[in-house]
Amino acid sequence: MDSLPATRIEIDLDALRHNFRLACEYAAGRDLLAVVKADAYGHGAVRVAQTLVGEGAELFGVAHLGEAAPLRQAGIDRPILLFCGVRPGEEDQVLELRLTPMLFDLGLAERLDGLAAAAGLRQPVHLKIDTGMGRVGFRPEELPEVLERLRQLSHLELEGVVSHLALADERDNPFSEEQYARFRACLRQVREAGFSPRWVHLSNSAALYSRDFPECNLSRPGISLYGGLPGPGFADLDLRPVMHVRSSIAQLKQVPAGTGVSYGHRFTAGRPTRLAAVPVGYADGYSRRFSNCGEVLIRGCRAPVVGTVCMNWTLVDVTDLPEVAVGDRVTFLGRDGDTLLRGSDLAAKIGTIDYELYCSLGSRNVRVYLAAS
């Protein structure tokens, strides 16, 4: 039995380094923007960013200003992009913290330009273009008006041009190439309007590992940094899990056949059954949807979750693992010995994606950072 908290998240920083180095290989000389939004998908943005600075990450990406401030306070001095823009009234903090918004609102551009002029600065922005995601960004037909207005804002620096792929996780889907063609046409308009963006970027994790966009010089890996597969067709990638969710058996109990288990008796023992009670539940981010369909690892073996997942408890059928004992480690996500529970495999059981699992589990439990190097 170890001395770590009974329920904790182990973050393998060596695996993070490995995944970043793999991304660098596939980037083939292009720079990388490491996506650390949502507290680095539950892995801890500060420690992740500190680790990746040591690996040569050029830029970082977060959702909003509240995610950027802790990075600056921790001494991260690389450029930080704000993916979700800036709310009115926050513009002064953008300048103070030296942040770079993705720009999809001319009102924000005008406010930033005014503040930058008063401070005697030039404020960098990355122009966000909607080439087919249908979410945020200027539509291609809006570009002439947008570029003309930006030319009048002398204290803004159009440092980057960016778009986002909608179907990159489907390796053979031609829509990504359609988006790239639209993006190239928009990029030509930007350059013809007199702008020379330093950064041109379109690729997320999936595109980084499956496509080549020659005019782009920056990629934005996110899920792959943490060992998650960018999509169902990427199982061949040598990505190592970074997050391991651990707890331990608190009680073992033998129940006879016919015994109802947990709330609602949604599981009834069909044989004499040995149950392990583990102090993890939906309050810890382990979804109630894993009731009767989840699985965990104990001593390197898979064991099924039975009954309803409770707020603080999960029950596991260990009848076929007679050697297990109170105090044994239980892995809800990650690797135990040679056996791996991938986030994508678990997520498929409950109709979600591994992004959600990492964020839910990582934000609600004690994190312990491990590294051999």
Side-chain angles (χ1 to χ4, degrees):
M1 196 182 308
D2 57 44
S3 61
L4 295 173
T7 300
R8 76 273 184 184
I9 305 294
E10 294 178 4
I11 304 297
D12 183 344
L13 296 177
D14 286 333
L16 176 69
R17 294 185 182 98
H18 167 85
N19 295 337
F20 183 83
R21 292 168 188 171
L22 186 68
C24 289
E25 290 179 23
Y26 276 79
R30 296 180 178 90
D31 289 312
L32 295 183
L33 180 155
V35 180
V36 294
K37 63 181 179 177
D39 202 19
Y41 299 23
H43 292 70
V46 168
R47 287 297 297 272
V48 165
Q50 289 171 334
T51 300
L52 295 182
V53 163
E55 292 295 317
E58 292 289 340
L59 306 92
F60 292 94
V62 300
H64 48 71
L65 190 144
E67 293 183 341
L71 297 180
R72 289 289 187 242
Q73 292 163 5
I76 303 299
D77 61 357
R78 303 295 167 86
I80 299 176
L81 268 66
L82 301 175
F83 289 172
C84 295
V86 181
R87 294 183 301 177
E90 293 182 339
E91 296 88 355
D92 56 340
Q93 297 177 69
V94 172
L95 272 68
E96 179 183 345
L97 294 174
R98 296 172 289 110
L99 306 176
T100 305
M102 284 194 182
L103 183 66
F104 45 85
D105 172 17
L106 284 178
L108 171 62
E110 292 166 354
R111 294 191 298 272
L112 286 174
D113 182 72
L115 286 173
L121 302 172
R122 284 179 61 80
Q123 170 60 45
V125 297
H126 285 216
L127 181 66
K128 182 69 176 287
I129 301 173
D130 177 12
T131 58
M133 181 70 174
R135 196 167 62 181
V136 296
F138 295 108
R139 297 277 300 168
E141 59 267 24
E142 298 176 294
L143 267 189
E145 177 184 352
V146 169
L147 293 171
E148 178 59 32
R149 185 69 189 107
L150 291 179
R151 288 175 53 164
Q152 300 169 23
L153 302 178
S154 60
H155 287 80
L156 286 191
E157 179 183 355
L158 204 163
E159 184 186 66
V161 179
V162 54
S163 191
H164 192 62
L165 298 169
L167 300 172
D169 57 329
E170 300 177 14
R171 296 187 77 151
D172 298 325
N173 196 307
F175 188 67
S176 293
E177 296 300 330
E178 292 181 32
Q179 284 194 255
Y180 178 51
R182 294 173 192 169
F183 187 60
R184 290 180 62 197
C186 292
L187 185 60
R188 282 195 298 272
Q189 291 185 60
V190 170
R191 289 170 172 158
E192 289 168 358
F195 296 100
S196 300
R198 176 184 179 186
W199 302 112
V200 178
H201 49 118
L202 181 61
S203 292
N204 53 10
S205 287
L208 169 63
Y209 284 108
S210 64
R211 299 177 184 276
D212 180 32
F213 298 135
E215 291 208 42
C216 297
N217 60 4
L218 183 69
S219 297
R220 306 187 303 269
I223 192 68
S224 63
L225 292 178
Y226 309 107
L229 299 179
F234 294 83
D236 58 323
L237 293 178
D238 180 26
L239 294 170
R240 299 179 185 173
V242 176
M243 178 182 289
H244 304 266
V245 182
R246 317 282 198 198
S247 190
S248 58
I249 296 174
Q251 184 188 39
L252 288 166
K253 176 185 296 185
Q254 188 77 26
V255 300
T259 300
V261 172
S262 192
Y263 287 118
H265 285 183
R266 294 168 63 190
F267 174 82
T268 300
R271 59 176 177 171
T273 300
R274 194 175 186 224
L275 297 173
V278 187
V280 171
Y282 57 79
D284 307 292
Y286 191 67
S287 175
R288 195 169 181 267
R289 289 173 290 170
F290 283 116
S291 301
N292 283 325
C293 73
E295 58 182 351
V296 302
L297 303 179
I298 305 174
R299 298 195 180 196
C301 298
R302 297 173 184 268
V305 169
V306 294
T308 301
V309 173
C310 307
M311 183 180 290
N312 305 112
W313 293 101
T314 294
L315 296 173
V316 179
D317 184 346
V318 293
T319 309
D320 297 326
L321 303 174
E323 301 301 318
V324 302
V326 169
D328 276 1
R329 185 174 70 177
V330 180
T331 297
F332 283 78
L333 175 69
R335 184 178 297 281
D336 184 4
D338 294 329
T339 310
L340 174 63
L341 282 180
R342 277 201 176 275
S344 53
D345 295 334
L346 286 177
K349 291 178 178 291
I350 59 172
T352 186
I353 54 177
D354 46 1
Y355 300 71
E356 182 180 5
L357 288 187
Y358 296 143
C359 291
S360 297
L361 291 162
S363 64
R364 301 192 196 185
N365 298 286
V366 173
R367 283 191 293 254
V368 178
Y369 291 90
L370 308 175
S373 58

